[in-house]
């Protein structure tokens, strides 16, 4: 029997409606609407789309978004100065510096400069430290999204063997901590892990967050495992596509019609034949990530009053 598709779009809609209600209540109590400042440096087309989507999502729930655009040759000192201004601005509850930054700019320095109370990405060392200690704080949106999806679908994490594929500060490491907090037994695997397929195959829950299209093949997955795919990759190469979409002819058709197609780190068609539940790409974790950002912005607004 094919696996259940874990739909993130429907859940994101429900969560956004709840946030819209909470924003209305916040405003009803006499406060100004929560404000999110986005900072986009340079003209990376994917980043432009992400920031636009985030601003549109804010508008739909009643959060004010204030967009700041800087040229790719902006010196670090100017970026620092903008972050300082936003930190001090009483109208701004949350600050998001879109990554990656253009070459020559130090993203860690920028992220560390954001006030932890306005760090709606949850990337500041203070917030990462609170997560490490299991204390409340602003938490990174993508792993939070994965946790909401798992909770919504009633996946009991207690005692599960979870493998997180990828060790980024944005997803892999915080994801591992959140799973550990819910009593899973967690392994972080990565590009240097020996016999990656065998390690992944031990997982009752496999979370893939490496940014490599179709890396995880069907035989990497333990029968009846739950698979969460965080990757969002654009594939244009026909040869690669023929390999990774062998069990998904529709993706091949899309590629031929449009010149490119989106896919995750997992071969979805193959995973559906082995796992008990799989998140699709697009329409899985992605829509929930923005819901996490909105929720963090509202939380920051409540805390910063
Ligand atoms: N670039 C890719 N994902 C993210 C994210 O979650 N936050 C920020 N600020 N930049 C990103």
């Amino acid at each position: 029997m094919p696996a259940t598709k874990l739909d993130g779009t429907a859940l994101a809609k429900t969560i956004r409606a709840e946030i819209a209600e909470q924003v209305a209540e916040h405003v009803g109590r006499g406060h100004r609407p929560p404000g999110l400042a986005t900072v986009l440096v340079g003209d990376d087309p994917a980043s432009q789309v992400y920031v636009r989507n985030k601003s549109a999502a804010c508008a739909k729930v009643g959060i004010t978004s204030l967009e700041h655009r800087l040229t790719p040759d902006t010196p670090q000192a100017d970026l620092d100065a903008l972050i300082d201004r936003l930190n001090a601005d009483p109208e701004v509850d949350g600050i998001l510096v879109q990554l990656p930054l253009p070459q020559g700019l130090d993203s860690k320095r920028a992220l560390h400069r954001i006030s932890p109370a306005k760090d709606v990405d949850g990337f500041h060392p203070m917030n990462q430290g609170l997560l490490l200690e299991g204390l409340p704080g602003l938490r990174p949106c993508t792993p939070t999204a994965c946790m909401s999806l798992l909770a919504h679908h009633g996946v009991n994490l207690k005692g599960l063997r979870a493998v997180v594929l990828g060790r980024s500060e944005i997803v892999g490491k915080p994801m591992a901590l959140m799973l550990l907090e819910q009593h899973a037994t967690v392994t972080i695997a990565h590009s240097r892990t020996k016999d990656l397929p065998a390690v992944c195959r031990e997982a009752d829950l496999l979370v893939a967050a490496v940014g490599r299209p179709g890396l995880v093949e069907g035989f990497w997955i333990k029968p009846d495992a739950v698979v969460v795919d965080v990757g969002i990759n654009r594939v244009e190469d026909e040869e690669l596509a023929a390999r990774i979409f062998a069990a998904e002819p529709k993706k091949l058709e899309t590629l031929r019609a449009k010149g490119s197609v989106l896919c995750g780190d997992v071969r979805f068609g193959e995973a559906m034949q082995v796992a008990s539940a799989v998140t699709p790409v697009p329409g899985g974790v992605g829509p929930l990530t923005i819901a996490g950002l909105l929720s963090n912005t509202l939380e920051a607004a409540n805390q910063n009053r």
Side-chain angles (χ1 to χ4, degrees), residues 54 96-99 121 123:
K54 287 169 187 176
L96 179 142
V97 175
Q98 184 65 28
L99 303 176
D121 260 328
F123 296 164

Side-chain angles (χ1 to χ4, degrees), residues 30-270:
H31 306 295
R32 59 158 174 73
L36 172 70
T38 59
V39 179
L40 175 62
V41 191
D43 34 39
D44 176 59
S47 291
Q48 287 175 6
V49 172
Y50 289 137
V51 170
R52 204 181 314 133
N53 289 345
K54 287 169 187 176
S55 299
C58 281
K60 279 198 185 144
V61 298
I63 292 176
T64 307
S65 75
L66 312 138
E67 291 182 40
H68 296 265
R69 294 198 61 162
L70 299 175
T71 56
D73 57 355
T74 298
Q76 185 92 35
D78 289 7
L79 177 57
D80 288 351
L82 173 59
I83 294 171
D84 291 348
R85 272 209 318 280
L86 297 173
N87 281 338
D89 187 338
E91 301 286 309
V92 171
D93 297 299
I95 302 171
L96 179 142
V97 175
Q98 184 65 28
L99 303 176
L101 290 174
Q103 284 242 322
L105 287 175
D106 182 344
S107 52
K108 278 242 155 91
R109 178 166 145 179
L111 298 177
H112 290 196
R113 206 169 179 97
I114 295 172
S115 158
K118 296 191 177 187
D119 167 39
V120 285
D121 260 328
F123 296 164
H124 189 281
M126 168 69 96
N127 285 317
Q128 300 261 20
L130 290 170
L131 170 61
L132 186 73
E133 292 197 344
L135 294 171
L138 293 166
R139 293 185 166 196
C141 304
T142 302
T144 301
C146 298
M147 296 303 282
S148 321
L149 200 56
L150 293 168
H152 180 75
H153 287 278
V155 178
N156 181 5
L157 297 167
K158 209 174 192 171
L160 279 196
R161 276 184 156 266
V163 171
V164 178
L165 188 47
R167 53 177 159 176
S168 70
E169 253 106 68
I170 295 180
V171 185
K173 288 182 192 172
M175 183 80 240
L177 290 170
M178 289 184 201
L179 291 169
L180 191 61
E181 190 177 45
Q182 296 298 316
H183 315 292
T185 301
V186 186
T187 300
I188 302 182
H190 47 80
S191 55
R192 311 268 174 92
T193 299
K194 284 194 181 136
D195 201 353
L196 205 46
V199 172
C200 291
R201 217 181 138 79
E202 297 214 331
D204 302 310
L205 167 67
L206 178 62
V207 181
V210 279
R212 297 260 314 268
L215 175 73
V216 177
E217 302 182 40
F219 83 94
W220 293 33
I221 298 167
K222 182 176 176 177
D224 291 331
V226 174
V227 179
V228 175
D229 191 352
V230 176
I232 303 179
N233 311 293
R234 186 168 293 284
V235 171
E236 293 171 351
D237 183 77
E238 282 253 4
E239 240 177 74
L240 172 68
R243 250 183 299 125
I244 65 178
F245 301 136
E248 272 183 288
K250 277 205 170 142
K251 288 272 191 194
L252 277 177
E253 280 170 31
T254 307
L255 171 66
R256 285 182 190 132
K258 300 196 167 161
S260 74
V261 65
L262 284 184
C263 76
D265 294 344
V266 177
R267 299 188 187 187
F268 181 76
E270 295 180 25

Side-chain angles (χ1 to χ4, degrees), residues 16-40:
R16 284 187 202 197
E18 285 167 7
I19 295 171
E21 268 179 36
Q22 289 163 11
V23 169
E25 281 167 21
H26 179 85
V27 173
R29 287 195 297 270
H31 306 295
R32 59 158 174 73
L36 172 70
T38 59
V39 179
L40 175 62

